[in-house]
C-alpha cells in the first residue's frame, strides 16, 4: 500500500491518494477558490497522478466538513464515478448550520459510516474510528497502521484543531485524541493541515509515538483540565476561518451560497 500526499498551499490543506492492488482512494480533495470562482487545478493534478499510475479510483473519503476550504469530493464523483464516504453524524452537523446558513438539503454522499463500518479497499479493509470534538462528525480512517485523522491532530509543534464551532467540544476532542493514543506507537498519523513557513515543506505524516511525546497541546501526559484550559484560551484568540461562510454551506450542499 502506498500513500501519496498533495499539499494545497493556499489553504494549508493536505489531500492523500492511497493505492493498493491497482485501486486508489482519495482523502479530502480540495477545490481552488478565489474571488468567488471555483477552479480545479489542484484536484486535477491529483486525478492526473491516479491516471498516470494506472489506478482504478473507487472511493473519496471525507474526514469532516471543512470550514476553511471547499471540498472537491463531488467533482471527483462526477467525473470518475468514485463513491463518497462521510460520517453518519453529518446529518447532525447539517441541522446545526441549516437555519443559520439557510441551507436546503444535504449533498448526496454515497456511504454514511460510523465506528461499526468496515469498507473493503483493494486487499485491505478501511476501519472507521469516530473522533468527534472539532466537529461532531469528525472521523478517522484506519488502514493497517495508517490513520487519516482529519483536523483532530495537527503536527506536534502545532497541537490540535480548534473546538469552538457549533457542536464542537474540547472535552470530546480530548477523549478522541486519547483514543487514538491507544493505537500502536508506530502508527503513521496523516494530517489534514500544515502551515509551514514560506519555502519549507509541509509535515504530512507523523508517528503516533511522536504525537504522544511531543504534541504541544495534548501529549500522553496532559490531563483533561489542562487541555481544556489551553484549548479554550487559544480558541478565544482565533479568528473565524476566512472562507467559513462559503466553505461550510458548500461542503454540506455542494452549492455555492448566493452572492450578497
Ligand atoms: Fe476542519
Amino acid at each position: 500500500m502506498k500513500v501519496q500526499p498533495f499539499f494545497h498551499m493556499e489553504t494549508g490543506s493536505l489531500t492523500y491518494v492511497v493505492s493498493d492492488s491497482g485501486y486508489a482512494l482519495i482523502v479530502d480533495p480540495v477545490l481552488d477558490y478565489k474571488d468567488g470562482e471555483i477552479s480545479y487545478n489542484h484536484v486535477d493534478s491529483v486525478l492526473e497522478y491516479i491516471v498516470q499510475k494506472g489506478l482504478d479510483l473507487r472511493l473519496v473519503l471525507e474526514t469532516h466538513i471543512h470550514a476553511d476550504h471547499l471540498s472537491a469530493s463531488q467533482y471527483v464523483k462526477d467525473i470518475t464515478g468514485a463513491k463518497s464516504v462521510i460520517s453518519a453524524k453529518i446529518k447532525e452537523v447539517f441541522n446545526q448550520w441549516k437555519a443559520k446558513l439557510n441551507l436546503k438539503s444535504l449533498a448526496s454522499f454515497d456511504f454514511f459510516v460510523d465506528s461499526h463500518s468496515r469498507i473493503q479497499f483493494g486487499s485491505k479493509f478501511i476501519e472507521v474510528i469516530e473522533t468527534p470534538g472539532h466537529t461532531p462528525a469528525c472521523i478517522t480512517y484506519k488502514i493497517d497502521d495508517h490513520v487519516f485523522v482529519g483536523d483532530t491532530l495537527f503536527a506536534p509543534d502545532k497541537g490540535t484543531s480548534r473546538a469552538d464551532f457549533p457542536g464542537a467540544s474540547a472535552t470530546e476532542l480530548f477523549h478522541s485524541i486519547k483514543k487514538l493514543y491507544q493505537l500502536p506507537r508506530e502508527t503513521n498519523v496523516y494530517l489534514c493541515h500544515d502551515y509551514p513557513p514560506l519555502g519549507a515543506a509541509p509535515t504530512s505524516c507523523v508517528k503516533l509515538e511522536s504525537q504522544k511525546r511531543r504534541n504541544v497541546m495534548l501529549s500522553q501526559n496532559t490531563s483533561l483540565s489542562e487541555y481544556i484550559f489551553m484549548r479554550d484560551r487559544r480558541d478565544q484568540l482565533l479568528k473565524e476561518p476566512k472562507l467559513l461562510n462559503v466553505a461550510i454551506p458548500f461542503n454540506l450542499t455542494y452549492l455555492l451560497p448566493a452572492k450578497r
Side-chain angles (χ1 to χ4, degrees):
M1 189 179 109
K2 178 175 165 57
V3 181
Q4 180 66 46
F6 294 84
F7 185 56
H8 189 251
M9 184 101 68
E10 293 78 1
T11 59
S13 305
L14 285 148
T15 294
Y16 298 94
V17 172
V18 183
S19 52
D20 181 73
S21 311
Y23 295 102
L25 64 77
I26 305 179
V27 183
D28 288 332
V30 181
L31 292 173
D32 302 304
Y33 181 79
K34 198 173 178 205
D35 302 330
E37 298 294 331
I38 289 173
S39 56
Y40 304 93
N41 291 341
H42 188 263
V43 62
D44 281 346
S45 70
V46 175
L47 293 173
E48 182 60 29
Y49 168 86
I50 290 169
V51 170
Q52 274 178 6
K53 298 287 179 191
L55 298 167
D56 181 0
L57 178 65
R58 290 300 175 98
L59 296 168
V60 52
L61 310 181
E62 287 286 347
T63 54
H64 66 297
I65 291 294
H66 312 275
D68 62 332
H69 64 263
L70 278 62
S71 165
S73 283
Q74 184 68 43
Y75 175 75
V76 170
K77 264 183 70 162
D78 287 348
I79 64 172
T80 69
K83 302 289 185 198
S84 59
V85 183
I86 199 156
S87 165
K89 293 213 172 87
I90 201 64
K91 292 155 192 169
E92 210 177 293
V93 175
F94 180 78
N95 287 333
Q96 271 154 353
W97 289 96
K98 189 178 174 183
K100 189 173 181 219
L101 298 173
N102 194 24
L103 306 178
K104 296 284 181 284
S105 56
L106 186 62
S108 61
F109 298 96
D110 295 300
F111 298 119
F112 296 95
V113 294
D114 60 24
S115 56
H116 303 291
S117 307
R118 256 163 74 86
I119 308 160
Q120 185 149 24
F121 168 66
S123 64
K124 312 285 182 188
F125 279 96
I126 307 166
E127 294 169 52
V128 174
I129 305 171
E130 293 187 62
T131 43
H134 173 56
T135 80
C138 288
I139 51 178
T140 290
Y141 296 99
K142 179 177 181 296
I143 312 172
D144 290 346
D145 60 350
H146 305 277
V147 287
F148 299 87
V149 299
D151 284 0
T152 306
L153 283 162
F154 289 166
D157 62 329
K158 307 219 172 55
T160 79
S161 62
R162 64 196 296 171
D164 60 341
F165 294 150
S169 160
T171 303
E172 279 195 313
L173 187 53
F174 174 88
H175 291 301
S176 292
I177 292 170
K178 290 285 181 170
K179 183 162 60 175
L180 292 176
Y181 283 177
Q182 303 299 312
L183 293 169
R185 62 187 197 170
E186 286 303 308
T187 300
N188 298 297
V189 177
Y190 293 89
L191 310 173
C192 189
H193 284 292
D194 196 35
Y195 305 97
L198 201 64
T203 301
S204 58
C205 181
V206 184
K207 289 285 181 196
L208 188 69
E209 178 69 4
S210 173
Q211 292 282 16
K212 288 172 73 170
R213 282 183 189 279
R214 298 195 292 113
N215 190 287
V216 292
M217 297 190 89
L218 212 178
S219 76
Q220 59 192 346
N221 299 321
T222 309
S223 71
L224 176 61
S225 56
E226 285 169 333
Y227 177 67
I228 289 179
F229 177 75
M230 205 179 328
R231 188 67 265 166
D232 285 351
R233 203 174 51 172
R234 177 97 181 97
D235 285 348
Q236 281 164 18
L237 300 174
L238 292 176
K239 290 186 191 139
E240 212 174 64
K242 253 191 322 199
L243 282 181
L244 182 130
N245 289 315
V246 177
I248 297 272
F250 181 85
N251 293 336
L252 284 165
T253 64
Y254 292 137
L255 297 168
L256 279 177
K259 283 184 185 163
R260 294 183 184 172

